[in-house]
Amino acid sequence: MSAKLKKFNFWIRRKSHLPLILIGSLMVLVLFFNDETSLALNMKYEKEINSLTMQIKECRDSADYYREQREAILHDSEDLERMARERFHMQRPTEDVYILK
């Protein structure tokens, strides 16, 4: 009996890396193929977050632009007249207007 026990003990010591390999492969499977925590899903969410962050930045930039335009209109009548002429394609008698499309 002791010979079988020695062989089993020797086999366990030689194959002790098997549990580590099994646990490691299980972790990889969970990370890649689990629907809730997969790396592909996390990468997709990260890409969506970056896209939404860029949209927020663009919206803030346009809001700043329109805020400056509003302030210019409220405080300066010449800017108001210039913007109205540009928007409605009007001109002064001494001006040439070029419309580019």
Side-chain angles (χ1 to χ4, degrees), residues 44-62:
K44 176 184 161 193
Y45 287 154
E46 193 68 33
K47 186 185 240 185
E48 187 174 344
I49 287 170
N50 290 337
S51 156
L52 292 173
T53 304
M54 291 301 293
Q55 286 181 4
I56 289 172
K57 184 176 182 272
E58 290 173 5
C59 289
R60 284 187 179 151
D61 289 344
S62 65

Side-chain angles (χ1 to χ4, degrees), residues 8 10 15 19-20 22 29 36 43 55 73 80 86:
F8 182 70
F10 180 70
K15 305 295 182 182
L20 293 176
L22 290 174
L29 288 174
E36 296 175 3
M43 289 170 55
Q55 286 181 4
I73 289 172
L80 175 63
E86 287 176 1

Side-chain angles (χ1 to χ4, degrees), residues 5-83:
L5 190 60
K6 284 183 181 181
K7 280 186 180 182
F8 182 70
N9 192 13
F10 180 70
W11 185 82
I12 290 291
R13 280 188 281 150
R14 278 189 78 206
K15 305 295 182 182
S16 64
H17 60 282
L18 282 179
L20 293 176
I21 291 173
L22 290 174
I23 291 171
S25 62
L26 180 66
M27 292 297 287
V28 168
L29 288 174
V30 166
L31 286 175
F32 282 107
F33 297 111
N34 190 3
D35 288 337
E36 296 175 3
T37 60
S38 70
L39 288 176
L41 192 59
N42 283 337
M43 289 170 55
K44 176 184 161 193
Y45 287 154
E46 193 68 33
K47 186 185 240 185
E48 187 174 344
I49 287 170
N50 290 337
S51 156
L52 292 173
T53 304
M54 291 301 293
Q55 286 181 4
I56 289 172
K57 184 176 182 272
E58 290 173 5
C59 289
R60 284 187 179 151
D61 289 344
S62 65
D64 290 339
Y65 170 76
Y66 287 117
R67 191 174 297 117
E68 289 173 7
Q69 292 293 322
R70 184 180 58 111
E71 291 297 321
I73 289 172
L74 291 176
H75 295 298
D76 194 8
S77 63
E78 289 178 14
D79 282 337
L80 175 63
E81 179 186 349
R82 179 187 53 81
M83 291 177 72

